[in-house]
């Protein structure tokens, strides 16, 4: 197993190129189940989760070819009626996002058997809303032996009001109701850029989805098993969480970094909070610059995570590492996931002073963090520890970095290029 060794205390300087978005790519790959013709993905990020999503389609019987081109993967996906409608436990358990095959398989085959994904490090993460979506569209659902079995001769347009925003359930509703007979109106939906991108892809394939980027979608179902498919290759948007992670790392180390191939509007709230903390943020043609080289003391800033355009839960852990070295006290309220504070114990090991109760963390900024061996517990928690390690005096060892490789492309290399002392080693 690999681990990262970071000698902290060096400000990050230079420029970094952001990769394509993992969270946009995953549902887009699953949506290719609905396509009549082969789909080319032009710029998939080289991440284990993306690899895994493509492997799911392959194991289901789809034809997938992958080629490395520069830092990207170019993939051609062709899903035909010979494929299977069963996604077994071994495929689904490794990545929760695999649940998003349920709707497309049901729409394409009239039946789908998908293993329940199970819990994960950041909470129980149920799939009840995914099931509710399928039932509302007319599917019969049974849950047996750890599997969801969904059947529907015909999916029918419906009205759905989500009790709270779910990214995955919104995306499931889009992919499935696009194929139903009649119109669906879906309220309180995810407005995340990744969801909007999925909508654009589905529309380019022949779906009729209106209201993308608002809280209500109107979807005119095509009453078909497949969509014709897109007329040009699919290009995935830049990863706003990766961009945000580098932005916070630049601020925390009091460095100056140009973040290229990033869409600042996608993380407006993070950039706003960085400015509030006393850092300069300036937009550029294809991204933005974070300049903390003249920041004397980092001002504490409270955050509350919420669905887009609120503060992303996927940047909460990184923000906590940053606030650990702020000049004063701050709070973080986690509103999306229960149990998403596992990184606190590890930040402690670096000398952070944090208490928490329920979904609120109270951070007392300290002058310095100190390097120590720590353990990554999930994807974003590992990014938080990398930031902690970059700030800390001395050496930090981060174990179980396979978590970080799920969602950050070449993070050690990109950080090295910014002047960080970071190496990847084998246990
Ligand atoms: C997606 C992102 C993940 C991000 C999260 C919130 C992908 C691949 N993953 O995850 O990185 O942290 O959005 O922005 O895009 N819930 C239910 N029942 C359900 C579904 C969800 O109760 O059927 C709950 C979850 O437990 C959570 C909340 O709803 O508390 C939001 O989760 P959701 O938005 O669905 O997250 P994901 O789509 O799994």
């Amino acid at each position: 197993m690999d681990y990262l060794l970071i000698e902290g205390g060096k400000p990050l300087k230079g420029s970094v190129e952001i990769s394509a978005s993992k969270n946009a790519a995953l549902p887009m790959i699953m949506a290719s189940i609905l396509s009549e013709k082969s789909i080319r993905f032009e710029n998939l990020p080289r991440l284990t989760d993306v690899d895994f999503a493509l492997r799911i389609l392959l194991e289901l019987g789809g034809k997938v070819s992958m080629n490395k081109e520069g830092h990207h993967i170019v993939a051609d996906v062709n899903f035909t009626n010979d494929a299977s409608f069963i996604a077994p436990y071994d495929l689904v358990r490794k990545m929760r996002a695999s649940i998003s095959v349920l709707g497309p398989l049901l729409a394409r085959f009239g039946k789908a058997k998908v293993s329940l994904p199970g819990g994960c490090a950041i909470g129980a993460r149920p799939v009840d809303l995914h099931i509710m979506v399928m039932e509302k569209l007319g599917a019969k659902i049974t849950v047996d032996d750890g599997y969801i079995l969904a059947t529907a001769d015909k999916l029918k347009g419906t009205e759905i009001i989500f009790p709270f925003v779910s990214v995955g359930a919104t995306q499931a509703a889009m992919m499935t109701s696009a194929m139903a007979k009649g119109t669906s109106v879906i309220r309180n939906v995810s407005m995340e850029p990744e969801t909007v991108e999925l909508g654009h892809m589905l529309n380019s394939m022949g779906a009729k989805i209106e209201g993308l980027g608002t809280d209500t979608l109107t979807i005119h179902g095509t009453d078909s098993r497949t969509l014709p498919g897109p007329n040009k290759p699919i290009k995935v948007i830049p990863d706003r969480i990766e961009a945000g992670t580098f932005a916070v790392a630049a601020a925390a180390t009091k460095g100056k970094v140009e973040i290229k191939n990033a869409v600042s509007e996608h993380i407006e709230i993070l950039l706003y909070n960085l400015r509030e903390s006393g850092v300069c943020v300036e937009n550029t043609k294809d991204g933005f610059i974070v300049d903390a080289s003249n920041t004397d003391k980092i001002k504490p800033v409270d955050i509350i995570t919420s669905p887009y355009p609120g503060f992303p839960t996927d940047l909460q852990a990184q923000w906590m590492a940053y606030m650990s070295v702020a000049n004063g006290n701050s709070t973080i309220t986690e509103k999306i996931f229960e149990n998403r504070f596992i990184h606190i114990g590890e930040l402690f090991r670096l000398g952070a002073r944090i208490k928490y109760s329920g979904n609120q963390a109270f951070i007392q900024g300290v002058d310095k963090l100190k390097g120590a061996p720590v353990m990554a517990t999930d994807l974003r928690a590992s990014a938080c520890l990398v930031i902690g390690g970059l700030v800390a005096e001395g050496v930090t060892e981060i174990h179980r970095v396979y978590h970080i490789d799920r969602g950050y492309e070449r993070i050690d290399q990109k950080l090295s290029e910014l002047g960080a002392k970071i190496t990847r080693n084998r246990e």
Side-chain angles (χ1 to χ4, degrees):
M1 236 188 279
D2 287 358
Y3 68 97
L4 294 177
L5 226 140
I6 304 177
E7 207 184 304
K10 311 244 172 326
L12 298 182
K13 288 203 168 123
S15 68
V16 62
E17 178 103 10
I18 298 306
S19 304
S21 160
K22 167 182 90 75
N23 282 357
L26 297 180
M28 287 164 95
I29 291 171
M30 304 310 187
S32 47
I33 290 176
L34 295 171
S35 182
E36 192 64 48
K37 61 181 175 217
S38 172
I39 296 187
R40 165 159 289 205
F41 292 92
E42 235 172 42
N43 65 335
L44 293 175
R46 288 172 63 180
L47 300 170
T48 36
D49 269 13
V50 167
D51 210 50
F52 193 69
L54 291 169
R55 205 162 323 142
I56 288 178
L57 297 193
L58 202 67
E59 301 248 346
L60 286 169
K63 290 179 188 65
V64 179
S65 76
M66 289 180 246
N67 287 302
K68 286 182 206 156
E69 270 186 29
H71 291 310
H72 307 138
I73 295 175
V74 178
D76 291 291
V77 179
N78 191 7
F79 208 80
T80 63
N81 287 338
D82 302 334
S84 165
F85 63 92
I86 302 172
Y89 181 57
D90 254 6
L91 280 182
V92 176
R93 76 186 162 89
K94 292 186 192 135
M95 187 175 70
R96 184 187 146 81
S98 317
I99 187 70
S100 56
V101 295
L102 178 66
L105 287 179
L106 172 66
R108 176 137 196 172
F109 297 110
K111 55 193 169 184
K113 188 175 171 187
V114 178
S115 168
L116 285 161
C120 70
I122 58 172
R125 298 182 100 177
V127 290
D128 53 328
L129 296 179
H130 293 250
I131 292 177
M132 184 263 273
V133 162
M134 303 304 144
E135 283 181 332
K136 284 291 245 174
L137 286 163
K140 202 170 152 283
I141 304 277
T142 50
V143 178
D144 208 6
D145 276 346
Y147 278 82
I148 305 170
L149 180 65
T151 48
D153 283 340
K154 195 155 258 329
L155 295 162
K156 293 190 193 78
T158 187
E159 182 179 17
I160 297 173
I161 305 182
F162 285 117
F164 51 87
V165 174
S166 160
V167 173
T170 300
Q171 296 173 347
M174 285 160 64
M175 291 190 276
T176 318
S177 54
M179 316 305 290
K181 182 174 164 45
T183 296
S184 297
V185 177
I186 308 170
R187 300 184 200 279
N188 199 21
V189 297
S190 145
M191 300 189 279
E192 270 68 8
E194 297 79 13
T195 303
V196 173
E197 268 317 281
L198 174 68
H200 288 322
M201 172 174 168
L202 289 167
N203 281 348
S204 79
M205 290 165 65
K208 295 181 188 108
I209 304 175
E210 293 165 8
L212 290 167
T214 73
D215 64 2
T216 302
L217 296 173
T218 304
I219 303 177
H220 305 286
T222 52
D223 190 14
S224 54
R225 293 262 192 228
T226 53
L227 295 169
N231 285 325
K232 55 179 192 197
I234 303 292
K235 197 163 178 215
V236 180
I237 52 170
D239 195 313
R240 67 191 167 108
I241 304 301
E242 188 196 9
T245 301
F246 277 99
V248 175
T253 59
K254 299 201 174 158
K256 181 175 177 184
V257 175
E258 179 175 3
I259 305 199
K260 293 179 161 177
N261 188 38
V263 184
S264 56
E265 301 91 77
H266 289 173
I267 45 167
E268 206 56 72
I269 191 149
L270 173 82
L271 301 185
Y272 174 82
N273 283 313
L274 279 174
R275 286 191 190 99
E276 291 288 292
S277 73
V279 169
C280 271
V281 181
E282 200 187 302
N283 282 341
T284 59
K285 212 165 47 314
D286 74 336
F288 54 92
I289 295 171
V290 175
D291 185 359
S293 54
N294 295 317
T295 307
D296 180 25
K297 291 189 166 151
I298 298 163
K299 289 186 211 144
V301 179
D302 299 341
I303 59 140
I304 302 175
T305 63
S306 55
Y308 189 83
F311 195 98
T313 175
D314 285 353
L315 287 171
Q316 178 258 106
Q318 298 87 318
W319 189 261
M320 191 178 288
Y322 180 43
M323 285 298 109
S324 299
V325 288
N327 182 39
N329 302 335
S330 59
T331 61
I332 293 183
T333 311
E334 171 56 57
K335 291 250 187 164
I336 308 290
F337 291 112
E338 86 261 31
N339 206 11
R340 205 175 195 178
F341 282 149
I342 322 171
H343 44 279
I344 291 180
E346 301 301 306
L347 280 176
F348 244 7
R349 295 179 52 76
L350 298 178
R353 284 206 202 136
I354 306 167
K355 288 188 187 142
Y356 74 100
S357 164
N359 68 343
Q360 251 202 334
F362 308 90
I363 305 139
Q364 193 185 338
V366 293
D367 281 346
K368 282 185 185 122
L369 295 179
K370 284 217 162 146
V374 289
M375 189 95 83
T377 47
D378 70 54
L379 172 57
R380 307 306 171 186
S382 35
C384 144
L385 296 177
V386 168
I387 294 173
L390 290 171
V391 173
E393 262 183 6
V395 176
T396 298
E397 276 172 31
I398 305 178
H399 295 270
R400 300 203 179 161
V401 293
Y402 56 84
H403 285 294
I404 210 160
D405 295 332
R406 289 185 43 209
Y408 289 90
E409 197 186 88
R410 298 175 293 116
I411 188 164
D412 37 336
Q413 195 184 323
K414 289 185 183 186
L415 285 169
S416 284
E417 284 164 14
L418 292 173
K421 284 210 153 183
I422 179 168
T423 53
R424 183 180 283 257
N425 306 280
R426 272 273 140 101
E427 307 260 10

